[in-house]
Amino acid sequence: MGILEKIAEIEREISRTQKNKATEYHLGLLKAKLAKYRAQLLEPSKSSGAKGEGFDVMKSGDARVALIGFPSVGKSTFLSLMTSTESEAASYEFTTLTCIPGVIEYKGANIQLLDLPGIIEGAAQGKGRGRQVIAVARTADVVIMMLDATKGEVQRELLEKELESVGIRLNCPKPNIYFKPKKGGGLSYNSTVPLTHCSEKLVQLILHEYKIFNAEVLFREDSTPDEFIDVIVGNRVYICLDSRFHGTHSLQRIHW
C-alpha cells in the first residue's frame, strides 16, 4: 500500500470513528500517523529530476505574497494590475504554467507578488503541479486566495483543506507549547492551564508514534492533539490569509 492509499485509509477511519472520551486515544494515534504520511509527501523524491521550471523564484523584497486559487479566477489579471509585470491571461484554464513574480512598491517597501498556476482538488497529493505550487506558498508571508464569485465558499473550503493538509496553518498562531526531546529521563509533562483536549496518556501515545520516549512537554494553553502534533513535527508554516472574490467589476475582501 502506497502513501496515498495509507492516507486515504486513515482519513476514512477518522471520518467513521465517533468522537468521544472512549475514542480520543484512538483518534489521537490516527492523527499522528496521518501527519507522518502527509509529511512524507512533501519530501522530495530521490528519483525526481530537476525542479519544475519557473518555480524556484528567489525570495526578494520586504515581504512575499502568493496568489493561490483554482484556474481562471483572475490571479494573472491581478498581478498585471498591481505590478509592472505582464502575466498572460486568457479565457481558458491553466494559462499560467510557471511561477511569475512581480513587485509592488508601497511607501518605500518592495513587496514580491507571485502569480502561481491554478491548483486543483487533490493538489496536496500531487495532482496537477500542486506540490510545486504549495511548496512556493509555504515560503510566503501572506497568501491571497483568489476565488470565483459564483462558487467562492466551495472553492475557499477546498483550498483551505489542501493547504492545511500540507502543514500550512492559516490565520492561527503557533501553539503555545514547549516541547524538547531529551536523551533520557522519560516524559516530563506539565501544564500552566487546565487541559480539556490532551491528557498525559494521550501525549505519551502520540510521542511514541514518533519514536520519542524522552521529552519535556509544557502546555501553556488548552491545545488540541492536532496542535500538539504540529509542534512535534516542527515544519508547520503559519501564514496570514486574505480571501477574495473575483467579480466583473472589483475584488472584494471577504475574510482576513
Side-chain angles (χ1 to χ4, degrees):
M1 186 182 292
I3 294 177
L4 292 179
E5 290 78 12
K6 291 178 180 177
I7 289 175
E9 179 60 32
I10 293 174
E11 288 176 335
R12 285 193 294 268
E13 178 67 17
I14 291 176
S15 66
R16 63 175 175 249
T17 301
Q18 290 187 344
K19 187 177 181 181
N20 53 51
K21 198 71 176 177
T23 62
E24 65 178 8
Y25 300 126
H26 178 59
L27 285 172
L29 284 176
L30 288 175
K31 290 177 179 180
K33 291 178 185 290
L34 185 60
K36 283 175 60 178
Y37 289 133
R38 282 176 172 171
Q40 290 178 29
L41 280 180
L42 295 178
E43 295 175 359
S45 173
K46 295 180 180 179
S47 60
S48 60
K51 293 182 179 179
E53 180 184 353
F55 279 85
D56 50 344
V57 175
M58 181 179 294
K59 192 170 184 178
S60 64
D62 299 287
R64 167 175 279 195
V65 178
L67 300 176
I68 291 285
F70 286 90
S72 300
V73 293
K75 298 186 298 298
S76 298
T77 301
F78 185 75
L79 179 79
S80 299
L81 287 172
M82 297 299 294
T83 73
S84 58
T85 302
E86 287 296 325
S87 183
E88 183 181 358
S91 58
Y92 52 86
E93 295 186 345
F94 299 107
T95 310
T96 303
L97 300 177
T98 64
C99 177
I100 301 176
V103 176
I104 300 173
E105 296 182 3
Y106 181 72
K107 294 185 177 181
N110 291 324
I111 303 170
Q112 186 181 49
L113 186 64
L114 301 180
D115 177 17
L116 297 173
I119 66 175
I120 58 177
E121 188 175 1
Q125 281 73 46
K127 292 184 179 179
R129 306 190 78 175
R131 289 188 199 174
Q132 293 159 298
V133 172
I134 291 173
V136 174
R138 285 175 61 90
T139 68
D141 301 296
V142 176
V143 169
I144 294 180
M145 189 176 287
M146 303 288 291
L147 307 172
D148 186 325
T150 62
K151 40 194 168 183
E153 198 63 27
V154 174
Q155 288 189 349
R156 182 180 66 81
E157 291 177 1
L158 289 172
L159 288 172
E160 286 184 354
K161 181 181 178 182
E162 293 295 327
L163 297 177
E164 288 278 338
S165 68
V166 293
I168 297 178
R169 300 294 177 254
L170 303 172
N171 291 345
C172 61
K174 186 176 181 180
N176 194 359
I177 303 173
Y178 175 78
F179 168 70
K180 182 180 180 180
K182 301 186 300 182
K183 294 183 178 180
L187 173 64
S188 173
Y189 169 88
N190 289 288
S191 65
T192 59
V193 296
L195 300 181
T196 61
H197 305 292
C198 289
S199 65
E200 183 173 0
K201 180 180 177 181
L202 179 57
V203 166
Q204 194 170 41
L205 287 172
I206 292 174
L207 288 173
H208 287 182
E209 180 63 32
Y210 285 88
K211 310 300 182 186
I212 299 173
F213 304 98
N214 305 285
E216 291 182 30
V217 178
L218 174 63
F219 284 80
R220 297 191 180 100
E221 62 184 10
D222 189 16
S223 301
T224 65
D226 298 279
E227 291 171 328
F228 179 57
I229 291 169
D230 284 349
V231 171
I232 296 173
V233 174
N235 66 348
R236 302 315 192 208
V237 179
Y238 298 85
I239 298 178
C240 182
L241 167 69
D242 189 9
S243 291
R244 294 172 182 263
F245 279 146
H246 176 65
T248 306
H249 304 292
S250 65
L251 292 169
Q252 180 184 6
R253 181 185 300 176
I254 62 165
H255 179 66
W256 179 255

